[in-house]
Amino acid sequence: MTDIQDAQPKSVLTRLYDLTATPYVSLVHSACILASPIVSPAIKIAEREVAAANTVGGGVTRRLFKSKPATVGLTRANALLFGASELLGSWMIYDNDVEDGSGFLMAWSTLFLIVNGKPSITALKHARVWPLCLSSLACVNLGLYGKRYITNAFE
């Protein structure tokens, strides 16, 4: 009876850290990424808008290296690549390889943010919230699985 009374409730951060020993967090992110062509399909930006954004400043460099993408949102190839990588990392954790799975998910979440971070913020200009939600989930994955990977003792 005293054991029940002496037990301290776990904090939210401790519960989230314990959740990274399971593949559930990355499965949610993977499902959201794979569902994004259906939930929020990529839309093409008008050619005038892309051309105007690429010629601001007037340099030849801007025209050679287009800085603004022609679509808003995740393309099918983008969603398939990152969704499959998240599924693979989830499988690694499910297969009791928590250390390597956490490192794999941390790396792919970082890559997702590098590729889709800025476009997800600029998608708000086109009234698209879904890419920002996906980037937020990638930040959560990066934080949780990154903490597990970096602070693990690698026994």
Side-chain angles (χ1 to χ4, degrees):
M1 181 96 172
T2 59
D3 292 336
I4 295 172
Q5 293 173 350
D6 292 338
Q8 295 289 332
K10 291 183 177 181
S11 69
V12 174
L13 294 176
T14 306
R15 288 182 185 181
L16 285 175
Y17 181 76
D18 292 343
L19 197 58
T20 59
T22 66
Y24 301 133
V25 179
S26 61
L27 282 175
V28 168
H29 189 226
S30 176
C32 290
I33 290 173
L34 289 173
S36 64
I38 298 167
V39 173
S40 177
I43 57 169
K44 292 190 182 243
I45 301 174
E47 292 297 323
R48 290 176 293 158
E49 191 176 334
V50 174
N54 289 334
T55 57
V56 171
V60 175
T61 310
R62 281 277 199 189
R63 280 180 259 141
L64 289 176
F65 303 104
K66 293 181 180 180
S67 62
K68 187 166 185 169
T71 61
V72 174
L74 266 69
T75 61
R76 288 182 189 155
N78 197 344
L80 186 63
L81 174 71
F82 287 109
S85 67
E86 291 283 330
L87 278 177
L88 182 61
S90 299
W91 178 257
M92 292 168 79
I93 292 176
Y94 175 75
D95 203 29
N96 291 327
D97 193 3
V98 178
E99 291 85 11
D100 290 335
S102 296
F104 187 82
L105 287 169
M106 179 187 75
W108 277 97
S109 295
T110 303
L111 286 173
F112 183 85
L113 288 173
I114 290 171
V115 172
N116 298 310
K118 184 178 176 186
S120 70
I121 293 172
T122 57
L124 290 174
K125 183 170 63 172
H126 299 280
R128 296 288 175 135
V129 182
W130 186 250
L132 188 62
C133 293
L134 293 176
S135 292
S136 300
L137 281 172
C139 284
V140 169
N141 262 2
L142 176 63
L144 292 176
Y145 288 111
K147 181 179 179 189
R148 176 165 292 277
Y149 180 70
I150 291 171
T151 62
N152 204 350
F154 299 110
E155 297 171 355

